[in-house]
Amino acid sequence: MATIKDVAKAAQVSVATVSRVLNDTGYVHTDTKTRVTQAMQELNYFPNEVARSLFNRESRLIGLILPDITNPFFPQLARGVEDEIHAHGFRLLFGNSDEDREKELAYLQTFKQNQVVGVIAVTNEPESDMYNDDLPVVFLDRTVPNAPSVFADAATGGKMAAMELIKRGSRQITLLKGPAHLQTARQRFKSALDVLTEKGVDFHVMSNASFSFQEARKSAKALFQLYPETDGIIASNDIVATAVIHEALRIGKAIPDEVQIIGFDDIPQSELLFPSLSTIRQPAYDMGKEAAKLLIKSIQKQPIDQSVIQMPVSFIERETTRKVDSQ
Amino acid sequence: MATIKDVAKAAQVSVATVSRVLNDTGYVHTDTKTRVTQAMQELNYFPNEVARSLFNRESRLIGLILPDITNPFFPQLARGVEDEIHAHGFRLLFGNSDEDREKELAYLQTFKQNQVVGVIAVTNEPESDMYNDDLPVVFLDRTVPNAPSVFADAATGGKMAAMELIKRGSRQITLLKGPAHLQTARQRFKSALDVLTEKGVDFHVMSNASFSFQEARKSAKALFQLYPETDGIIASNDIVATAVIHEALRIGKAIPDEVQIIGFDDIPQSELLFPSLSTIRQPAYDMGKEAAKLLIKSIQKQPIDQSVIQMPVSFIERETTRKVDSQ
DNA sequence: TTGAAAGCGCTACCAT
DNA sequence: ATGGTAGCGCTTTCAA
């Protein structure tokens, strides 16, 4: 790769001048500029970002930490982030944390060592010291009060799920309670519960500690054994809902006539299931985009009107819930 | 962030000495070493990777270019890559190309500007000049003869798909031909075709130019209209197969009794469909891992026995194909 | 065993 | 309008 020196030599000017045309800063004569530009092209010159980063004490890299890109909720998020930062000339440094504190810390550390300008993180430890320095951070999906963050309206989501099921005639509802360490899962659960209590609807609660399909399968099996009279199920997310559908199909329960099922997230495959899954949608792609926008504003020290962004959820009506005449 | 100078001052030595203990190179007295190490800890010092990269003329970053992380085949690949490079102390610079040459070029360019040590790319342009320099590259999934690359055995895959369908009794097979620009898709198609021809089985061919679900839906609809007597369908991948399942279900074709369906890839959701999809599996995670291993060997100038790695595919028998007594 | 200093490629300040 | 040069944080000679 050619360096600024090579260009300077070829254009018969100093490196300072080359730097000026490169950054379009300070005075430089039109003719000189032409000569320099030409030299750059001839040498196929591109500035070394590393040298720039060293001087500026910051790179044009943004770090993204996700639990696991293999989990179908996250690619959308990542894509939203990537599209937005790419449009602003930033590049993505990416790592899977597996929700492991040590791994997360290691990533964050190397991100800093690479002088990233900011970080977007889906983390269970937003309050940790590791995020407690001057590096701009935006928390995605999981957060802590008042920290810059983007997340979906879990309370409304939980409420919606319960309301839609009731409206569509479920009278014996079973709630599948998600992982306790996830604030969003707890919140959805709680507000669904509140609605059920308030409306005086019969309900049961089952815990399934993980979002893995295999675990969910067991919970689903247990659910239908323990509460065979259940006619409505609020799953903790779409993966779990998928397992519930499978089990219902397996034991010959008619969906949605005998039992209605509703999920959370609206991951891409939910639409492709049979029957396709009715669910409470989180706008994952947009959440990623918003997080990136927020981070970039913060990096560029632009005024920020809203640093805590709650995104709306919506009920996606598909085939695991019954139709109602008038909504 | 503390710098090497700060550590030097605190430990009352020169920066050269600090650098020596940092890199465990050259002579340094045990006592001095202790003093330096202690100073590092007290100052919470971590070396600036950017400065290191500048000096070494290479970073510890590896670039990964994927068409679209949102496409369910790619997260597995990405995860395989990431796990392997992480284990070797490298970090991932990531970009979605959308199969757009300009975007891909832009990424590759900035990767180079950031002095990545190597690149792994899923690209339609492996022969392009942009990959034609001294930067180590491994092509994943899509490749060109003799270039360092990792891909699945598409020929065997296509053959397997046809054989399994025939073995299970299909006599009127329709082949869905995938995007023409994808070598792997062409290859699978061709070898499936060869088997069908050789065995004298009746068949039809339909093109569906894209892997998008919406497009596939249309093709599926057309397929059943044009060739209603079809009793076996070889889809170009699992997304397309999913659309076919949907359409078959919609028009009341019994799967697998009236029509058998087989896909390619074995994306995570294929198992979760109803009926679950029989498919030819590509070991995506392992492919990512192998690509990373190969790249790292190349970076570290280790001997490479195999720079063109073909990974085995396998038939995953699920519910869209009929059972046979003896295999 | 240790330190001084050059230099990686770039930007910004100070001269001219 | 242009050039010289210090310095970003690090590693690696070369001397001592």
Side-chain angles (χ1 to χ4, degrees):
Chain A
M1 290 257 280
T3 74
I4 201 171
K5 258 190 190 167
D6 302 325
V7 177
K9 196 174 296 177
Q12 315 212 59
V13 293
S14 72
V15 293
T17 301
V18 178
S19 177
R20 278 187 207 105
V21 344
L22 205 53
N23 299 290
D24 200 26
T25 159
Y27 297 93
V28 37
H29 195 283
T30 324
D31 297 354
T32 332
K33 191 169 181 174
T34 322
R35 274 209 332 279
V36 172
T37 313
Q38 205 171 332
M40 284 178 175
Q41 291 199 334
E42 276 164 15
L43 294 171
N44 191 29
Y45 170 78
F46 286 89
N48 182 323
E49 269 299 315
V50 176
R52 284 183 154 179
S53 302
L54 181 59
F55 181 87
N56 295 322
R57 285 193 194 74
E58 62 176 40
S59 70
R60 284 153 173 262
L61 268 22
I62 285 177
L64 174 65
I65 296 180
L66 248 38
D68 180 9
I69 191 69
T70 265
N71 175 323
F73 179 62
F74 295 122
Q76 313 279 331
L77 230 47
R79 193 55 150 105
V81 170
E82 212 261 330
D83 282 358
E84 185 65 25
I85 72 169
H86 183 261
H88 289 264
F90 295 103
R91 296 294 125 109
L92 199 66
L93 213 43
F94 169 70
N96 298 294
S97 69
D98 289 322
E99 310 204 20
D100 173 329
R101 194 182 195 287
E102 292 309 313
K103 238 184 140 182
E104 183 173 345
L105 187 60
Y107 268 117
L108 204 55
Q109 184 61 54
T110 53
F111 285 180
K112 287 175 190 168
Q113 290 178 253
N114 279 285
Q115 300 190 164
V116 298
V117 269
V119 168
I120 295 177
V122 178
T123 175
N124 296 325
E125 316 247 1
E127 306 189 84
S128 157
D129 274 349
M130 64 178 143
Y131 290 107
N132 199 10
D133 54 20
D134 45 355
L135 183 70
V137 175
V138 170
F139 296 112
L140 232 187
D141 184 45
R142 311 172 189 180
T143 186
V144 54
N146 302 319
S149 48
V150 176
F151 51 89
D153 183 354
T156 303
K159 209 163 134 184
M160 260 185 195
M163 303 271 274
E164 296 294 343
L165 244 43
I166 294 171
K167 182 160 76 183
R168 285 167 169 72
S170 286
R171 293 294 171 260
Q172 297 269 358
I173 291 178
T174 300
L175 280 164
L176 277 160
K177 186 177 180 179
H181 69 280
L182 295 184
Q183 167 70 24
T184 57
R186 284 205 311 273
Q187 181 65 267
R188 293 167 189 165
F189 175 77
K190 185 186 171 305
S191 22
L193 202 71
D194 287 350
V195 170
L196 263 25
T197 313
E198 191 185 305
K199 300 267 181 184
V201 175
D202 259 12
F203 68 87
H204 294 290
V205 170
M206 280 205 56
S207 288
N208 80 298
S210 112
F211 278 155
S212 94
F213 184 74
Q214 298 311 332
E215 283 304 310
R217 204 164 212 163
K218 290 181 202 160
S219 302
K221 197 162 285 186
L223 187 161
F224 286 113
Q225 281 169 0
L226 284 169
Y227 314 117
E229 75 289 359
T230 291
D231 66 355
I233 297 171
I234 299 178
S236 37
N237 76 358
D238 284 2
I239 301 281
V240 175
T242 302
V244 172
I245 294 180
H246 273 231
E247 182 61 15
L249 252 29
R250 202 183 62 82
I251 64 174
K253 283 260 184 191
I255 305 172
D257 292 343
E258 289 178 73
V259 60
Q260 300 193 95
I261 300 165
I262 191 166
F264 274 105
D265 288 352
D266 194 27
I267 56 179
Q269 68 217 45
S270 298
E271 184 186 359
L272 310 182
L273 296 174
F274 181 84
S276 60
L277 178 66
S278 296
T279 190
I280 304 298
R281 172 166 219 271
Q282 297 196 52
Y285 178 81
D286 291 330
M287 286 166 67
K289 255 201 136 145
E290 286 302 320
K293 278 188 192 167
L294 184 56
L295 183 65
I296 290 171
K297 271 187 202 159
S298 147
I299 288 167
Q300 299 178 339
K301 312 226 181 294
Q302 291 172 25
I304 293 171
D305 39 321
Q306 271 278 27
S307 74
V308 176
I309 301 178
Q310 193 177 56
M311 305 284 287
V313 296
S314 51
F315 174 58
I316 305 293
E317 179 172 9
R318 288 200 276 248
E319 301 166 355
T320 56
T321 47
R322 294 174 210 130
K323 304 291 174 217
V324 282
D325 297 331
S326 65
Q327 299 248 7
Chain B
M1 289 257 282
T3 75
I4 200 173
K5 256 188 189 169
D6 301 326
V7 176
K9 196 174 295 178
Q12 313 213 59
V13 294
S14 73
V15 293
T17 302
V18 178
S19 176
R20 281 190 202 101
V21 344
L22 205 52
N23 299 290
D24 199 25
T25 160
Y27 297 91
V28 37
H29 195 282
T30 324
D31 297 353
T32 330
K33 190 168 181 174
T34 322
R35 271 207 336 275
V36 172
T37 313
Q38 205 170 333
M40 286 179 174
Q41 292 201 331
E42 277 165 15
L43 295 171
N44 190 30
Y45 170 78
F46 286 89
N48 182 325
E49 269 300 315
V50 176
R52 283 183 154 178
S53 302
L54 181 60
F55 182 89
N56 295 322
R57 287 196 195 71
E58 62 177 41
S59 69
R60 284 154 174 259
L61 267 21
I62 286 178
L64 174 64
I65 295 181
L66 247 39
D68 180 8
I69 191 69
T70 264
N71 174 322
F73 179 61
F74 295 122
Q76 315 279 330
L77 230 46
R79 191 57 149 106
V81 170
E82 212 259 334
D83 282 357
E84 186 65 24
I85 72 169
H86 184 260
H88 289 264
F90 296 103
R91 296 295 124 108
L92 199 66
L93 214 42
F94 169 72
N96 299 292
S97 70
D98 287 322
E99 308 204 22
D100 172 328
R101 195 182 194 286
E102 294 309 313
K103 237 184 140 180
E104 182 174 344
L105 187 60
Y107 268 117
L108 204 55
Q109 184 60 55
T110 52
F111 286 180
K112 287 175 190 167
Q113 291 178 252
N114 279 286
Q115 298 188 165
V116 297
V117 269
V119 168
I120 295 177
V122 178
T123 175
N124 296 324
E125 317 249 1
E127 305 189 84
S128 158
D129 274 350
M130 64 177 145
Y131 290 107
N132 198 11
D133 55 20
D134 44 354
L135 183 69
V137 176
V138 170
F139 296 113
L140 232 187
D141 184 45
R142 311 171 188 180
T143 186
V144 53
N146 300 319
S149 47
V150 176
F151 51 90
D153 183 353
T156 305
K159 208 164 138 183
M160 257 185 195
M163 303 273 273
E164 295 294 343
L165 243 42
I166 295 170
K167 183 161 75 182
R168 287 167 169 71
S170 287
R171 291 297 171 259
Q172 298 268 0
I173 290 179
T174 300
L175 279 164
L176 277 160
K177 186 177 178 179
H181 69 278
L182 294 184
Q183 167 70 26
T184 55
R186 284 203 311 273
Q187 181 64 268
R188 311 195 267 237
F189 174 77
K190 184 186 173 306
S191 23
L193 202 71
D194 287 350
V195 171
L196 262 24
T197 312
E198 190 184 303
K199 299 268 179 182
V201 174
D202 259 11
F203 68 87
H204 294 290
V205 170
M206 280 205 55
S207 289
N208 79 299
S210 113
F211 278 156
S212 93
F213 184 74
Q214 298 311 332
E215 283 305 309
R217 203 164 213 165
K218 291 181 200 160
S219 303
K221 196 162 286 187
L223 188 159
F224 286 113
Q225 279 168 1
L226 284 168
Y227 313 117
E229 76 288 2
T230 291
D231 67 355
I233 297 172
I234 300 178
S236 37
N237 75 359
D238 284 2
I239 300 280
V240 175
T242 303
V244 172
I245 293 180
H246 274 231
E247 182 60 13
L249 251 29
R250 202 183 63 82
I251 64 175
K253 284 260 182 192
I255 306 170
D257 292 342
E258 290 178 72
V259 60
Q260 301 192 95
I261 300 166
I262 191 165
F264 274 105
D265 289 351
D266 194 27
I267 56 180
Q269 68 217 45
S270 298
E271 184 186 0
L272 310 183
L273 294 174
F274 180 85
S276 61
L277 179 66
S278 295
T279 191
I280 305 299
R281 171 167 221 273
Q282 297 195 51
Y285 179 82
D286 291 330
M287 286 166 66
K289 253 197 139 152
E290 285 304 321
K293 276 187 192 165
L294 184 54
L295 182 66
I296 290 169
K297 270 185 201 157
S298 151
I299 288 167
Q300 299 178 339
K301 312 226 180 295
Q302 290 173 26
I304 293 173
D305 40 320
Q306 271 279 25
S307 74
V308 176
I309 301 178
Q310 193 177 58
M311 305 285 288
V313 297
S314 51
F315 174 59
I316 304 294
E317 180 174 10
R318 289 201 275 248
E319 302 165 356
T320 57
T321 48
R322 304 193 267 270
K323 305 292 172 216
V324 284
D325 297 333
S326 66
Q327 303 249 8

